Amino acid sequence: MSAATVLADDAEALAVAAELAEEFRKEAAERDTLRRLPRAELERLSASGLLGVTVPREFGGADVRTETLAEIFRLLAAADASLAQIPQSHFVYVNVLRRQGTPEQQGFFFGEVLRGKRFGNAQSEAGTQHVQDIRTRLARLSDGAYVLDGVKHYSTGALFAHWIPVLARADDDTLHVAYVPRDAPGLTVVDDWDGMGQRTTASGTVRLESVPVPADRVVPHHLTFQGPQLHGAVAQLLHAAIDAGIASGALGEAVEFVRTKSRPWFESVDEGHASAADDPLLIQRFGELGIRVRAADALLAVAARSVDAARADLTDDTAAEASIAVAAAKVTAAEVAVETGSALFEVSGTRSALNSLDLHRHWRDARTHTLHDPGRWKVQHIGRYVLNRTRPPRHGLL
């Protein structure tokens, strides 16, 4: 692995993200069609320095604004939604260290991140009562170290990671995060993800069988939710950015297809419109889609600025406002991503449905990614906040 660049500021981070997005876009359809995992692309991402942009300045990072981080994800997702999804957990678990890591843990792990090391995740479990029912156990040994046992699913990034943060319950049932090396004894990553969308995220299974964990690699995650926090807001904001990026990418593909490949409908030709791009009914539909995509982008930016404002003055009220703003952005971006991924075919015509073009990856990626958590509950919390000023709960998914 080559040494990573250490980026200096927000402007440099955005420029690098835009450049990488253009590079990643070129073979996105081929990677999806062949399910060719993006190992080389992730090495480029690591080397670029983008994975280190949220490291605090006192540890040598750029500590970019949340608004900048959201735009990085939107740009990457517009090019390849699978690639954008892989580092989402990386930034979530950098944030865990920012809030709950000791100075020694922060110094070590932030140094790893600035060198381009990637965090994966082993968080979700299948077959439990609900998503917060975590049964993986972190048992303490007599010498103060720990041992991990459990099975995780939907472990995006784990296959490509240098470190895998594992969400587990300690002996007293409180939630902790154990940062485990990818090659730790007893840890197995299985590439068994077969989702219809986001096909190259390798979001498979992690098996943990008596995995040894030193005490200084464990962080008390349950403390994150005691008092005002932005853990869930940042995590959900990145999901919203991915959805907004998918919508933007799908709209861009539709524009290119209609301009260069679509034939005009014969009735449009009879009325004097020689190309599909001159059809007033298509123009109307593209206007509608353009408004929807702009709305998603605008709500994303507003939400990100709300998170930044709360970071500067973290209280129960500012944290609640940030979470609600993110929820509004996430609900809207999810709807727009699915709508635009489907409308691509509506405006482009029959030829756009050819498997060989793989334009359906945008809808498949949107439909798959937006299943992470139900928008209907976000709408509920927004309604309660608007009507009764009820602050949203601190469970990490808002």
Side-chain angles (χ1 to χ4, degrees):
M1 177 178 174
S2 57
T5 301
V6 177
L7 301 178
D9 53 32
D10 295 70
E12 187 177 15
L14 288 171
V16 169
E19 180 181 345
L20 280 183
E22 286 305 308
E23 179 182 326
F24 293 160
R25 179 177 286 109
K26 294 174 185 175
E27 296 182 359
E30 179 182 317
R31 283 191 297 272
D32 178 80
T33 299
L34 301 177
R35 198 177 177 268
R36 175 167 61 79
L37 300 181
R39 298 182 188 277
E41 289 78 11
L42 286 172
E43 289 300 319
R44 286 279 294 115
L45 185 63
S46 283
S48 74
L50 282 179
L51 296 182
V53 295
T54 60
V55 170
R57 289 191 179 277
E58 59 265 34
F59 291 94
D63 200 8
V64 300
R65 298 189 307 274
T66 310
E67 186 175 4
T68 297
L69 184 63
E71 178 63 6
I72 289 169
F73 271 80
R74 194 194 68 83
L75 288 168
L76 294 177
D80 185 333
S82 286
L83 257 174
Q85 180 62 41
I86 291 170
Q88 190 267 348
S89 291
H90 170 91
F91 287 98
V92 168
Y93 285 103
V94 169
N95 267 355
V96 170
L97 288 164
R98 286 185 65 139
R99 184 165 174 94
Q100 297 302 339
T102 66
E104 293 74 21
Q105 288 172 325
Q106 291 173 342
F108 175 76
F109 280 114
F110 291 157
E112 289 282 276
V113 169
L114 290 176
R115 286 188 287 274
K117 298 297 179 69
R118 297 184 291 273
F119 292 164
N121 95 88
Q123 179 169 291
S124 294
E125 299 179 10
T128 57
Q129 185 179 21
H130 52 75
V131 70
Q132 298 274 23
D133 183 12
I134 302 298
R135 301 184 183 179
T136 297
R137 307 308 298 186
L138 182 68
R140 188 149 200 164
L141 304 176
S142 58
D143 63 359
Y146 295 87
V147 63
L148 269 172
D149 285 281
V151 179
K152 298 289 189 177
H153 299 270
Y154 313 119
S155 302
T156 303
L159 188 68
F160 314 108
H162 300 96
W163 292 90
I164 301 179
V166 180
L167 190 62
R169 294 198 179 275
D171 296 332
D172 61 359
D173 216 38
T174 55
L175 280 176
H176 287 65
V177 176
Y179 289 75
V180 182
R182 168 69 174 79
D183 58 357
L187 187 153
T188 306
V189 181
V190 184
D191 179 21
D192 57 0
W193 169 244
D194 65 348
M196 69 173 181
Q198 294 198 300
R199 297 185 67 222
T200 60
T201 59
S203 302
T205 301
V206 171
R207 301 186 185 280
L208 305 147
E209 300 178 79
S210 300
V211 177
V213 184
D216 62 357
R217 297 292 181 262
V218 175
V219 174
H221 191 38
H222 62 284
L223 298 179
T224 298
F225 306 102
Q226 296 180 7
Q229 50 80 38
L230 297 170
H231 174 82
V234 172
Q236 290 295 305
L237 183 75
L238 300 186
H239 284 309
I242 292 169
D243 290 339
I246 293 172
S248 177
L251 182 59
E253 292 261 31
V255 167
E256 177 66 15
F257 198 96
V258 170
R259 282 177 175 172
T260 62
K261 297 182 178 65
S262 292
R263 295 184 298 176
W265 184 241
F266 73 92
E267 291 175 287
S268 179
V269 174
D270 289 346
E271 293 186 0
H273 307 295
S275 72
D278 293 328
D279 182 334
L281 299 181
L282 278 181
I283 290 172
Q284 177 72 19
R285 185 62 175 132
F286 272 101
E288 293 166 351
L289 293 172
I291 291 169
R292 294 281 281 153
V293 171
R294 282 174 177 263
D297 290 347
L299 282 173
L300 180 71
V302 168
R305 290 195 290 270
S306 183
V307 172
D308 280 329
R311 268 178 81 182
D313 179 23
L314 188 58
T315 67
D316 285 329
D317 287 336
T318 60
E321 180 58 35
S323 288
I324 293 300
V326 170
K330 179 66 172 67
V331 169
T332 303
E335 292 174 349
V336 175
V338 174
E339 177 188 359
T340 310
S342 177
L344 187 160
F345 303 100
E346 169 197 336
V347 297
S348 300
T350 305
R351 186 182 173 191
S352 64
L354 294 176
N355 264 326
S356 58
L357 297 177
D358 198 47
L359 293 176
H360 46 64
R361 74 183 183 278
H362 299 289
W363 182 87
R364 288 186 290 104
D365 285 344
R367 185 65 282 174
T368 301
H369 181 256
T370 55
L371 299 176
H372 268 84
D373 50 279
R376 58 188 177 272
W377 273 98
K378 296 185 188 302
V379 174
Q380 276 287 308
H381 290 304
I382 293 169
R384 293 170 184 176
Y385 184 76
V386 170
L387 186 59
N388 298 315
R389 304 307 291 176
T390 303
R391 296 187 188 116
R394 297 170 180 160
H395 54 41
L397 292 174
L398 277 169

